[in-house]
Amino acid sequence: MKRHILSALIVSCTALGLAACGQDQAPVEEAAAPPAEEARMLDQAVDAAKDALDRAGEVATETKDAASEAADAAMERVDAVRDQAEQDVKEMIEQVKSFLAEDKEEMARELMDKLSAMKDSVSDVVRAEIERLEAMFSDA
């Protein structure tokens, strides 16, 4: 049924095209593709569509895998940066303690201001240490 509709549609389009060009319409029998040719063309179209879908699936899988690898690499870099920042903050805390031991309160206070601004971005353990130092400055 679909082949007949498709054939009729092809014939109609051909007739319209020829009429638009001012040429005589060819007989319908000549314009219609033979059934074997039509079946072969339909099979080729189906095969091409299946191949395209298979390739699209492969590309989607490859893209997903690449995105996953990129995300893993990015997370590793984020972890490394976070660890380095945490280490830097710990060193700053030790510097504050050293400045306090050396009676360099002004330098300790300047560094403490920087630490206070950074405390929301560090681990709970380091944040607690910063807050302990802040309390020391408040009591002083």
Side-chain angles (χ1 to χ4, degrees):
M1 181 68 179
K2 290 182 182 178
R3 290 185 181 166
H4 293 300
I5 293 172
L6 184 58
S7 295
L9 184 59
I10 291 171
V11 169
S12 298
C13 289
T14 303
L16 284 173
L18 291 174
C21 292
Q23 297 178 358
D24 292 333
Q25 181 177 348
V28 173
E29 295 81 27
E30 292 176 16
E37 179 72 16
E38 186 178 294
R40 185 183 61 77
M41 289 173 50
L42 184 59
D43 289 341
Q44 287 176 344
V46 168
D47 289 342
K50 285 180 184 177
D51 291 343
L53 284 174
D54 289 343
R55 182 63 189 141
E58 291 171 9
V59 169
T61 300
E62 291 170 4
T63 302
K64 181 183 139 221
D65 292 345
S68 179
E69 290 174 13
D72 290 344
M75 288 305 296
E76 288 175 12
R77 285 192 297 265
V78 165
D79 289 342
V81 168
R82 185 178 330 129
D83 292 344
Q84 182 61 47
E86 189 93 1
Q87 185 61 37
D88 292 346
V89 169
K90 288 177 183 178
E91 289 174 12
M92 290 171 69
I93 290 170
E94 291 305 315
Q95 273 189 317
V96 168
K97 290 177 183 178
S98 176
F99 288 152
L100 290 174
E102 297 170 6
D103 286 331
K104 297 179 180 178
E105 188 174 330
E106 186 61 33
M107 293 173 78
R109 190 170 300 280
E110 287 176 16
L111 195 52
M112 197 61 222
D113 290 341
K114 291 178 184 177
L115 284 171
S116 294
M118 298 169 62
K119 76 178 179 181
D120 290 336
S121 63
V122 295
S123 68
D124 292 339
V125 173
V126 175
R127 183 179 305 119
E129 183 69 19
I130 292 172
E131 289 171 352
R132 189 181 71 73
L133 286 172
E134 286 175 334
M136 286 175 49
F137 276 98
S138 296
D139 294 340

